[in-house]
């Protein structure tokens, strides 16, 4: 019951977040690219600027656009947004506030409903999780490399890999005969990538988040000290490893770079050793904090140490 309630609460928040990202109802009704005035502001999760209804910019797209505009200036706004989102939320965004993560969660449920085979995590999936760091490098280096090569910057990740943008593109193309006449090989490639991710999400949990998402790669670096995250009280932890074994992401321990802070580990812990922390602090364990507290409260005679 605890797991069901946790999942339900998370999916409701994911749905609400997706709705908040898409408040331009005129764009949705007309299936046209939204022209909302708020598009200059970044949203935390992966969400295409060109989606019908989008009222904000994707931080990945904003970063690539800013890098492509000039190879000599640091894109302070885009970088600042990414650092702020990371420091506050880390990969909590992936688990609770990313529309494409929500889509993958729903596809996972569809796969289970259809009784499709389930591919579990393994040593191979843990190795493949490193691919998202190559995607992050592509986000940063792509505009600079293409700008230096021919003077025209190209956002390579958005152009060739981003499934959120392709999902919006497929919707627009399906609704417009004029667009259907001009799409070519690139659209076919991106549609194939999207189809592979959609099918993969029905047999393998969140493949895009685990293997290709540059936002997940970046936010993962903040997981150990972000303001909102799950932490382990090691005084209560028995080391049974149930939290890691039941987690469907490629985590090695709660709160590492692969953790999307979904809370499933908390529901699975029979000893109440996992809790949600809302504070800015260093990445010390509860046991470490307790030891420090005991040391501070006890008199010390070795002042030279």
């Amino acid at each position: 019951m605890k797991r069901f309630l946790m999942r339900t609460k998370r999916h409701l928040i994911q749905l609400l977040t997706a709705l908040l990202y898409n408040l331009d109802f005129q764009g949705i009704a007309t299936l046209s690219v939204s022209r909302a005035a708020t598009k200059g502001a970044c949203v935390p999760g992966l969400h295409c600027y060109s989606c019908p209804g989008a009222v904000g910019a994707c931080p990945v797209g904003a970063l690539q656009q800013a890098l492509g505009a000039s190879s000599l200036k640091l894109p302070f706004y885009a970088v600042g947004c990414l650092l702020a989102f990371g420091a506050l939320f880390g990969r909590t965004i992936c688990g609770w506030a990313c529309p494409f993560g929500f889509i993958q969660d729903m596809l996972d449920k569809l796969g289970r409903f259809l009784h499709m085979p389930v591919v579990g995590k393994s040593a191979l999936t843990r190795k493949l999780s490193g691919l998202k760091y190559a995607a992050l490098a592509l986000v940063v280096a792509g505009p600079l490399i293409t700008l230096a090569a021919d003077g025209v910057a190209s956002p390579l990740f958005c152009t060739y890999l981003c499934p959120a943008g392709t999902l919006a593109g497929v919707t627009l193309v399906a609704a417009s005969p004029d667009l259907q006449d001009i799409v070519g090989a690139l659209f076919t490639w991106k549609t194939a990538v999207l189809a592979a991710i959609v099918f993969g999400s029905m047999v393998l949990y969140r493949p895009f988040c685990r293997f290709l998402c540059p936002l997940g790669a970046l936010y993962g670096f903040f997981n150990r000290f972000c303001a909102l995250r799950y932490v382990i009280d090691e005084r209560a932890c028995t080391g049974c490893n149930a939290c890691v074994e039941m987690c469907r992401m490629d985590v090695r321990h709660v709160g590492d770079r692969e953790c999307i802070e979904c809370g499933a580990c908390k529901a699975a812990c029979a000893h109440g050793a996992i809790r949600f922390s809302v504070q800015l602090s260093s990445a010390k364990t509860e046991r470490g904090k307790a030891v420090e507290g005991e040391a501070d409260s006890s008199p010390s005679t070795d002042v030279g140490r």
Side-chain angles (χ1 to χ4, degrees), residues 237-286:
C237 179
T238 64
C240 69
N241 218 35
C243 51
V244 174
E245 290 177 1
M246 63 74 52
C247 181
R248 301 179 69 191
M249 299 293 287
D250 295 288
V251 300
R252 297 184 183 277
H253 57 81
V254 173
D256 69 9
R257 288 184 295 182
E258 301 303 319
C259 176
I260 59 172
E261 311 289 349
C262 68
C265 55
K266 182 178 187 297
C269 182
H271 307 284
I274 301 174
R275 63 178 178 82
F276 193 64
S277 171
V278 185
Q279 61 181 344
L280 286 170
S281 63
S282 61
K284 294 175 181 176
T285 64
E286 295 297 308

Side-chain angles (χ1 to χ4, degrees), residues 150-197:
D150 56 17
V152 179
S154 176
L156 296 182
F157 177 80
C158 290
T159 302
Y160 294 103
L161 288 178
C162 181
T166 307
L167 186 60
V170 168
T171 304
L172 296 174
V173 169
S176 174
D178 292 336
L179 289 176
Q180 293 169 19
D181 292 335
I182 62 174
V183 295
L186 178 58
F187 181 77
T188 302
W189 160 255
K190 292 192 69 176
T191 303
V193 171
L194 175 63
I197 292 172

Side-chain angles (χ1 to χ4, degrees), residues 3 37 44 46 51-52 56 60 78 85 88 97 102 105 128 140 181 183-184 197 200 217 221-222 259 262 267:
R3 297 185 192 182
L46 188 81
C51 290
V60 172
F85 292 146
L88 288 172
F102 177 56
D105 282 344
L128 290 175
V140 176
D181 292 335
V183 295
I197 292 172
F221 290 116
F222 295 88
C259 176
C262 68

Side-chain angles (χ1 to χ4, degrees), residues 102-139:
F102 177 56
I103 289 172
Q104 290 176 91
D105 282 344
M106 295 302 102
L107 288 170
D108 173 67
K109 290 184 179 297
L110 177 61
R112 288 171 176 264
F113 176 78
L114 297 175
H115 301 290
M116 297 185 69
V118 177
V119 179
K121 62 183 181 181
S122 63
L124 176 60
T125 60
R126 286 194 176 97
K127 291 179 180 178
L128 290 175
S129 67
L131 290 174
K132 62 181 172 289
Y133 299 102
L136 178 61
L138 185 67
V139 166

